[in-house]
Amino acid sequence: MKVAVRTTGHVMGCKQALLAGLLCLLSGIVCAQPQAPASLAEQRAKAVTEVVLGILSYARWPVEPDRLRLCVIGPTEYTDDLLKGTTQATGRPVTVRRLLASNPTIAGECDAAYIGKLTVEERNHLFAALTGRPVLSISESDDQCTVGSLFCLRVSDEQVSFEVNLDSVARSGVRIHPSVLQLSRRKPAAT
């Protein structure tokens, strides 16, 4: 009888140990799952970062910089992720910093400019300073992509797309791979 009790206790102990092990295993799997962005704003910021880095990777400057200098100019909505700085897929580091639109060093200290919401006067001043300089400009605001910026982002809940201002690209001195120009013509997926 003592053996039967011991066996029953041993079986119960094995079941508990097995259950505890299974719970530990499942909790490890749950913890290992990538954390989803907490908000739609974070998702958009990550998507904008991917698009901006993609555009930059298909651009060629007259003198290729070892470290790409991206300047964020004006108030922006989607640069939280971008401002952390990053490295391109090619391994080239990207240094990101904020500057005021009136900063006179933009044309000489920026290889690319991510432009947020600016007044008409600030935009005109900025693009006058960038004229004739090899600076790739990407506009976040909802302009028509007709004046100044090489690329204009279109951010929605479903995706981030962009338009290209071919006239600005031609005058910028920055060469853009034709694949990027083709991507800008692609229509958003129907949902």
Side-chain angles (χ1 to χ4, degrees), residues 1-7:
M1 184 101 172
K2 199 172 193 182
V3 174
V5 172
R6 181 180 282 170
T7 304

Side-chain angles (χ1 to χ4, degrees), residues 69 71 97 99-110 129-130:
R69 302 167 300 170
C71 299
R97 66 183 182 145
L99 293 176
L100 295 174
S102 60
N103 189 319
T105 65
I106 289 173
E109 294 184 5
C110 303
L130 296 180

